Amino acid sequence: MSYFDHERLDVYQAAIELVVLINDIVEHLPRGRAYLADQLQRAGTSVPLNIAEGAGEYSSAEKGKFYRIAKRSATECAAIFDICRRLRLIEETRYLIGRELLMRIVAMLTKMAQGTSFVPACVPDLLLKKESGE
C-alpha cells in the first residue's frame, strides 16, 4: 500500500489521535456550549490538516509556515482545554490525556518548524539596497 508523506509522520498520527479525543470531549459537553465545541473542533482539525499541507510542500519555508500554523492551532486547543477544565466541562482524565498529547504535538511541530529555513520578507529589500549602493 502506498502512503502520502504526511501519513508517515508521528506528529500527524498524534494529531489524528487529538481529533478523535476532541470528538469524544465534544460529545460530552453540556448543551449551551456549542461555541466551545465548534472552536475546539475547528482548532483540532486544523492541526492534522496543516501538517498534511506542510508535508506536501517542496519549499522548506512553506513547510515551516504550515507547521507553525499547526502549532498555533494545537496551543489554541490547549487553551480551550484549560477553559473547559476551569468551567468543569471536561473530565480530569480527558483533560490530562489531551494536555499530554498536545505537549507531544507542540514539541514535534516546534522541532519541525525550526528545521525549516525561514527568510524574513525584508531580507530581499535589504539585499537590493546593498547591491544598488544605498
Side-chain angles (χ1 to χ4, degrees):
M1 184 164 125
S2 298
Y3 294 94
F4 290 100
D5 291 343
H6 63 275
E7 293 173 320
R8 293 184 175 102
L9 297 173
D10 290 339
V11 69
Y12 177 78
Q13 297 304 324
I16 294 297
E17 284 181 46
L18 175 67
V19 171
V20 171
L21 176 65
I22 286 171
N23 186 63
D24 187 47
I25 290 168
V26 164
E27 285 181 4
H28 290 90
L29 286 178
R31 294 185 81 167
R33 303 301 180 156
Y35 65 99
L36 283 173
D38 182 57
Q39 193 67 27
L40 184 57
Q41 286 174 317
R42 286 150 71 59
T45 303
S46 174
V47 178
L49 294 179
N50 279 290
I51 292 167
E53 280 194 77
E57 282 290 337
Y58 291 107
S59 160
S60 291
E62 285 297 305
K63 281 182 181 293
K65 177 180 125 184
F66 284 108
Y67 296 151
R68 286 188 301 277
I69 292 168
K71 179 182 173 277
R72 288 194 300 263
S73 293
T75 56
E76 182 179 353
C77 288
I80 297 168
F81 279 15
D82 288 342
I83 291 167
C84 288
R85 183 183 193 203
R86 275 305 284 264
L87 296 175
R88 295 187 177 106
L89 301 174
I90 186 174
E91 291 177 11
E92 188 69 12
T93 304
R94 283 192 181 111
Y95 171 80
L96 294 172
I97 290 169
R99 185 170 175 82
E100 184 63 33
L101 189 54
L102 286 165
M103 295 293 273
R104 280 184 42 224
I105 291 168
V106 167
M108 287 187 273
L109 287 169
T110 299
K111 286 183 180 182
M112 291 169 74
Q114 289 172 343
T116 59
S117 60
F118 176 71
V119 178
C122 63
V123 170
D125 292 339
L126 293 174
L127 292 175
L128 287 175
K129 287 181 183 177
K130 187 176 183 180
E131 290 173 2
S132 67
E134 288 182 32

